[in-house]
Structures are given as structure tokens and as C-alpha cells.
Amino acid sequence: MHTQISAAKAEVVARIKTERAVAVIRTDSIARALGAARAAVEGGFRAVEITFSFADAAGAIEKLAATSDDLLIGAGTILTRNQVHEAVEAGARFLVSPCVLPEVIDAAHELQVAVIPGAYTPTEIYTAYSLGADIVKIFPAVKFGPEYLRAVRGPLPQIPIMPTSGVDASNVAEWFRAGAVAVGAVGSVFDPALIEGSNWVELTKRARDFIEAVRATR
């Protein structure tokens, strides 16, 4: 499943690995999604994922895509074939799921869009990759941390892995040492309470701290 890949999709996958950090924005309205995304960008993120956690997530992606050609915009919590089409039509260039969903991976392949399913056990991780995942998201990455990634990469070194949740500025270097190709920044940076309170100054500061920690690992 990893033989044919369009140039555009290959460029997106390479960009995620170059940026090394994806801002994951999970909220409940277009206004808050765009506010948090702007804070992420101001803090240095260039890859932003808007999750399909509210009715008009596609509208937020479309508005964000219209603001900048330089941003790499993705859609998260993609659970159905219809959501794949909706996200891509809105301008998403990569798709993220919390679990291994063959129909989502297939739909992403048909549209030649990068797909990052979530998986946890070695079986799930390998299944996701064998179905054609471009990167596999370890999710949730909270409990066992970088040691778990290091253990998984022993027998499965060929699979590019991006931990999400459980990653913060204090441990991001350890995740990269364990073999992560990129990391997702969720609640530790984009705290739901800060988003709800429109505290963009604090969100920007946290985003900047996280990006500085990522850059220090190069």
C-alpha cells in the first residue's frame, strides 16, 4: 500500500516530518477554532489540525485555508467517508482519526490525501500501516509515554509514528529521542479552558514554548 503516492501527498507527509509539530485544535465553534488556530500560528506552528468536534468544523477549515497559503491545514476526528470528502473539499491536506478505520483510509487514498490514523497496540499500529497509513498516530500517548514508543519501534522501526496527547514542552525531546517523526500538541498547549475563555495571549505563549522545545531537538 506504500508504493503509489502523489507528489502533492508526498510533499504534505514530508512537511509534517519537517515541521515536527501539529497543533490540534479541539473546540466547539468556528470563532474559537479560528482564534486558537491564530494563536497557534502566532506561536510558531505551521501545521494545524481542526478536529471535527463541532457541526461546522469544515467551515473553520475553509476560513483558515483562505487566510494563508503557507499553512498546512488538516482535519481531525475523521470517522466516516463523508467526513473525508467534506474535510478535503474545505481545504484539509491531511486527515487524522482517533482509531483505525479502513473506510477512512480508503477514502483518503482515493483523494490522494495524507492520512494519519490513531492506534495504540502493536497490532493496531501495524494494521494501520499495512492498510496504507502515511503516519500512525499513537493515541492516547498519555500513560506510558516515550518508553512505550521506544519499545514499539524495536520490532516496527519502518513505521513513522506521531504521538498525540501526553506530549508537552517538558518531554517533547524525549519523544523525539524515542523515535517520533512528529508530535501532536493537544490539551497541554491548547487547553480547552483557555480556548473557551478566548485567552489567546496565554495560548500563543504556550504554543511558542512548545515550538521552541521542538526546535531545540533538531
Side-chain angles (χ1 to χ4, degrees):
M1 296 297 281
H2 289 267
T3 50
Q4 292 182 315
I5 181 167
S6 74
K9 177 172 156 174
E11 187 187 326
V12 168
V13 176
R15 175 105 185 258
I16 290 170
K17 292 176 180 178
T18 301
E19 295 291 347
R20 305 190 93 197
V22 176
V24 182
I25 310 297
R26 177 178 295 284
T27 186
D28 57 4
S29 74
I30 287 186
R32 285 176 175 152
L34 292 177
R38 281 192 284 268
V41 172
E42 207 171 312
F45 280 90
R46 289 295 171 267
V48 177
E49 170 193 329
I50 304 288
T51 67
F52 266 51
S53 49
F54 60 101
D56 204 12
I61 289 168
E62 200 169 343
K63 281 184 161 62
L64 192 58
T67 63
S68 169
D69 292 335
D70 179 49
L71 271 188
L72 183 60
I73 302 164
T77 320
I78 297 296
L79 301 172
T80 67
R81 182 176 283 273
N82 283 348
Q83 287 178 336
V84 169
H85 285 271
E86 200 184 337
V88 173
E89 281 164 23
R93 296 172 66 201
F94 65 94
L95 304 169
V96 185
S97 291
C99 39
V100 183
L101 300 165
E103 73 171 72
V104 167
I105 296 172
D106 288 347
H109 281 183
E110 286 160 16
L111 298 176
Q112 280 294 305
V113 177
V115 62
I116 306 173
Y120 193 70
T121 68
T123 300
E124 289 168 351
I125 292 164
Y126 187 78
T127 299
Y129 187 68
S130 66
L131 288 170
D134 296 291
I135 296 170
V136 178
K137 172 176 86 164
I138 281 195
F139 177 79
V142 183
K143 189 171 181 186
F144 299 112
E147 275 307 308
Y148 182 71
L149 173 57
R150 191 174 279 110
V152 166
R153 281 189 52 78
L156 301 172
Q158 77 278 24
I159 301 179
I161 292 177
M162 179 175 93
T164 300
S165 77
V167 184
D168 57 42
S170 72
N171 67 13
V172 72
E174 191 54 41
W175 281 109
F176 284 118
R177 277 197 292 273
V181 298
V183 293
V186 198
S188 63
V189 179
F190 302 101
D191 185 327
L194 293 176
I195 296 175
E196 198 174 329
S198 302
N199 191 341
W200 311 133
V201 172
E202 178 61 21
L203 279 169
T204 300
K205 179 189 175 298
R206 290 191 186 196
R208 189 170 290 122
D209 289 348
F210 189 88
I211 288 296
E212 282 173 6
V214 170
R215 286 181 182 149
T217 67
R218 292 194 186 281

